[in-house]
Structure formats: C-alpha cells, structure tokens
Amino acid sequence: MGDLSASEAHLLGMIKEYLIFGEFEETARQLEKECENKGKAIPKVPDSILQDPKTSNLQKDLMTSFEDGDHKVFFELWAQHIPADMRESDPVVQKLEFYLHIHFTIYPLKFSANRAEFDERIMLFKNYLETKGAALSQSAEFLPFYALPFVPNPTIHPSFKMLFQDSWMPDLKEKLEKCLSTTLEASNAPRLFTLYREQIQNNKDLMQQMQVQLAEMEMKASSYMRKFSKTQADYHNLIGVTAELVDSLEATISGKMISPEYLQGVCVRLFGNQSVAQSIDFIRPGTASSMLRASIPTLAKDVPLLPSLDYEKLKTDLINGSDRRKVALLQALRWRLTRSIRGEQRDSVLQAFISYDLLEFSSSRQKTVLQLMEYKDDVVRQYMARMINAFASLPDGRSYLSQSPLLLRNLLYYLKKEGKDSVTRENALVALQKLSLRRAQQSAMIRDGVIGWLVDELQDSDCLSDITLNYAVALLMNLCLRTQGKRKCAENPKHVLKVLTDLLGHENHEIRPFVNGALYSILCVPTVRDEAREMSMEEILHCYSKEENPELNRQIEFIIKQLNSEDERESDDEDDDDEEDAMEADLDKEEVFQPQLNELSGEALLTTEYLGIMTNMGRGKRKSGLPSRHSVDEPLQRPATPSSHRNTGNRGVAGSNPKPPRRY
C-alpha cells in the first residue's frame, strides 16, 4: 500500500509540474485543492519549472561569443551545457556543431583579415575533422569541407563561396538560436513531458530497428533466390554431363577408346570457354579433373522445351481483354521468360517471343500490344514495364527492343512523368540502363537529354530508392563513356562534378565503381579537368582514399592521374559487344497481381487457354559472353549493369553495409 501511495504521489507531482509549466494555473490550483480535500500529498514542484533566469543568461552569452567570434568561450559553454549524448547522437546538433566550427575558423578572414589567426584556427579545425568531426566524413553534405584546410584562399574557391555570402552567418545564427531554445528548455522540462518524449523516441527506435531487420531479411531472401537459380542451372548441367560420361564408360567396356578431342569437348561445355579447355594438357593425367574441381559450371544442359503457344490469340487478348486478363497474361509471359532454365530453354522462349513479334513492333494494326505502355490503368502499365525490363535483360531481347524508336520514347516518358516511388518508373529506368549497353540506344538517350535528367535526379540521391540509385548511376556512366556524353557533361561541368563527388560519399557503396568510371571518363575532356582542378577535386578524392578498400583506392589513383594529365584525346569505342545476360533471379519480386480462387495464372494459364502447335523454334546455342576488358584496379571503361558487376565478384563493395536494394 505504501508503494502505491508513493507512486500515486509521484504521478500527481508530475501532473502538477506539467500544468504549471504549461501555465494552466487555475487547473493546477484546483488539482491541489482537490488532493488536499482527499488527503493526498503532492510533492513540491522543482524551482527550475517555476523560473530559470540562468537559461536566458546562458543563451545570451553563447550568442554573444558567436557574434564576436570568440571560439574559446563559445565551445567551453557549449561543452558544459549541451548534453554530451545529444552532441554525439542527435544529427541536428552534430550538423550544427560542424558548421559552428567552420564559422569560427573563417571568422578572421571575414571580419579582421588576420591571416595568422586564421592559420591558427585552420589547424584547430583540421584537428576537429580528424577527431570528433571524423564521424561525418561519409556524408556528401560535409565532404567538401574536409578539403578546406588544404585550400590556400577559401574566399575565392568556388566550393566555399557560399560561406562568405552575407546570408550565411545570419542563417547559421537563426539555427543556433532555435537549437539553444529547444535544448536549454528541454533540460528544465517537466518530467511528464520528458517521459512522453522518451516514449516517442523509443517507439521510433524500435520501428527503425524492425525496418533494418526487415531489410536484412529481404536481402537474405534475395541472395537465397539467386543461389537457388544458379544451383538449379548447375544441377541440370551436371546431370547432362554425367549421363554422357556414363555412356562413355559403357563404350570403353566394348573396347572403344575415349579421344582427347572428346574430353576437350566435354570441358568446353563445363567451362563455357574454348580457350580454357584448349589450355588443358590431356596427356598429363589429373589436369582436367583438377581444373574441373576448382571451377563452377556455368552452362545448363539441354532441357525439354516449353509447350508452344498461340501467339495470335495471346496478342488479341492482350489488346482486347479485360484489364485483369491483360495483367495476368503479361505476368505469365514474363514468368515464362524469367523462370525458364538458363540456356537452351530460355533461349527458345525468347526466340519465340521475338519471332512472333510479341510486342508488335512491325504490326499494321491500329491497336498494338506496344500501346499498352500508354494504357490508362497504372497496373497494366507497370506490368508492361516489367515485361520490357525482362526483354532488356537478355542480349537478343535488347536487339529486339532496339527495333522500336517509340519504345525508347515511352520509357523516357515514364522516367519524367511517373512518381519517384513508382514501380513502373523503376522498371523503365532499369530497362533503359540495360539498353544502354547498345551504342544506338546510348546515342538516342544522349540526344534526348537523359544525362541532364540523371544528374538533376542524382543531386538529391537520399530521396531515391536503392534500385533507382544503382541503375541511374550505372546508366550515367554508360552514357559518359561516349564522346557525345562527355561533351554533354562538359556543357555544365561544375554541376556534374559536384553531383559525382557527392555520390562518392554515399552510404550505398555498390554505386562507387560506376561513379569512379563516370569521373574517369569525363576527366579526359580538358574543360572538365580545368573545372575539377578549380574545385580542388584532388584533395576531395584523397579524403576517400583513406578508406580500407585497396581496390577502390587504386581506382581513385587512376582518376587522380587522369585529372593531372594533359591528354586531350576522347576515345570512343566503336564496337557494340552487347553479350551480357543481366537477368536477375528476383526480377519477379513484389508482384501486385495475385490470382483469385480457381483463377488460372502463370504457365497454367498459358498452357490451358493458349496452347499452340509445338515447334523447334529457338533451338541453338548462344555464343558465350565476351570476357571483360578492364582490370579491376582501373575504373570501369566499358558499358556495364549493376547486376553484371555484382555477379563478376565486385570486390570493391567488400566490407560495406549498403541498404539492400529492391531489384527487378
């Protein structure tokens, strides 16, 4: 009973504190009177709630030292009266403190022209950057200021011009006053208010923790899906090779010899590389088996073809069917492509789609399947964009899509008109990035102003999803590899360089190889190099070379070498070696359309209602992808996609912890 009375008194005390703090004086008196009548005690309200003259004096002292440039007094008061946990964990306070250090550092240059005092303060600022300020070095907003100690005259440097504008100090002063009012009052806030605020913060922390856990689970699920797809392909390959080897062993029982040429043919299929197979010495026993054990098979053995479909009926229903039927068919056709086994089965599906002109690029009909890109229903448009993305994932699919100039225009329309969180826009962007592996599409995108759109979009990279960020940066790099793209960047080099250097500090490290590739490419243009030198880019790049990532450090060394070169050549590769398979296992993720009870979907829908005559269309081997032509130490200098860069073992992201991207 005693504990209950003490708890009740404590609670009543908190209520009275809050009423007095909120100036509900009449209500507080009524509460006090009623508690007295009922014999309930209320603890005395702390004096700090009633009045605190020290707070206003302290704030006045801080503001005076700010305006006078007295950094010693200011930071002494700041350290004493701003809670340490707030200075270390509150991003608003951390950001303000960083800019306060800049304010006091440049104060002598702005108001006294005392160079000796500035040199002394710049050393203090450098020490701050290497100690407490080091935590903000990964933020794109603060990164340029890490070059401040190395710039001889900041007053004329373009990167620091805004620090010396008349409006900068008043803006900072206003933010400081707001922070002090909130922070100093919070230390005297009533306990009920503090309790409520802590509960809200705890709920936010719990929600963020759950979101992180969800993102980690999605990343693991995505990884398992990719591993499953590869394991399935390896399984079919090994079954096929095993069957042939069993046939060969049976033949040896009959006295038939196995020739070195036969073994070489088996190894070609296992390695997927003629040159590797030819390098095996079949005269030395164990050479081939050792290489096989050290390798991972990549080709899938022949598997049964999927049933042929009635494509004329399919196209008719895609055009004239209900919206739900349109979406169901687009999903089923995409699944047929994405879920088929890589190799001959998938090739046969794609070749059938192309041979029957599934998207009707050459149709003379008034209404065509391609026009679904402009359909009124947003889910139909989304599933059409997903289908085009699936086509664009394969070399022959990109060749087919390249036949239609209208398709490229529609994809660009999606980019500019769909909302930023639109799945349709994301699929359109990914499809465009994959199409940018082809020179003709690169040229068309450059002419249509895609580089300018990408740079503007990437300027606010924190508002972009990871899938948009990854593929937007990769697309920008592919376009910058072209001479036309470099010249387009040279029209506004300062803006382009600012965006790219900011991206170097982004927490998503998967984009770094593409940012490096874009920088390396455009720095071959003399006017871009001049602008980069003007903004002290070498110093900014050196800030990143301190990271524990030798491979990216070497890429930065190549960029710095390009920056300091005088080479005026702008090479433009004329080859179009589009052989990359960019199909990802989780391309079908986050489906909006779900079949209802007893409603057919997927392959069951196609084979039940749209079965056609079986043909051998699409049989035949694709040539293997061309080997990479660039060293991993150098920035990328050939068109690439994020999926291919991950699949080739991008060691540049080792040890990073990026937010898990949603892939299509």
Side-chain angles (χ1 to χ4, degrees), residues 169-188:
M169 184 175 169
D171 289 344
L172 183 61
K173 179 181 176 182
E174 183 180 342
K175 293 175 182 177
L176 176 60
E177 288 176 333
K178 182 178 179 181
C179 176
L180 292 176
S181 299
T182 305
T183 306
L184 296 178
E185 285 181 8
S187 61
N188 299 317

Side-chain angles (χ1 to χ4, degrees), residues 17-64:
E17 280 181 20
Y18 181 76
L19 292 174
I20 294 175
F21 181 80
E23 298 181 355
F24 298 102
E25 297 174 2
E26 184 63 33
T27 307
R29 282 195 294 269
Q30 189 64 33
L31 173 67
E32 206 167 27
K33 182 179 179 181
E34 192 166 349
C35 288
E36 187 178 346
N37 292 338
K38 292 185 177 182
K40 297 182 182 293
I42 300 181
K44 183 181 178 182
V45 176
D47 293 338
S48 61
I49 299 296
L50 302 174
Q51 57 181 355
D52 189 11
K54 292 182 180 180
T55 298
S56 58
N57 291 334
L58 174 61
Q59 185 165 343
K60 182 180 178 181
D61 291 342
L62 281 164
M63 295 309 303
T64 300

Side-chain angles (χ1 to χ4, degrees), residues 96-107:
L96 177 62
E97 185 172 349
F98 190 95
Y99 284 120
L100 287 169
H101 277 279
I102 294 176
H103 162 72
F104 287 110
T105 300
I106 64 174
Y107 191 90

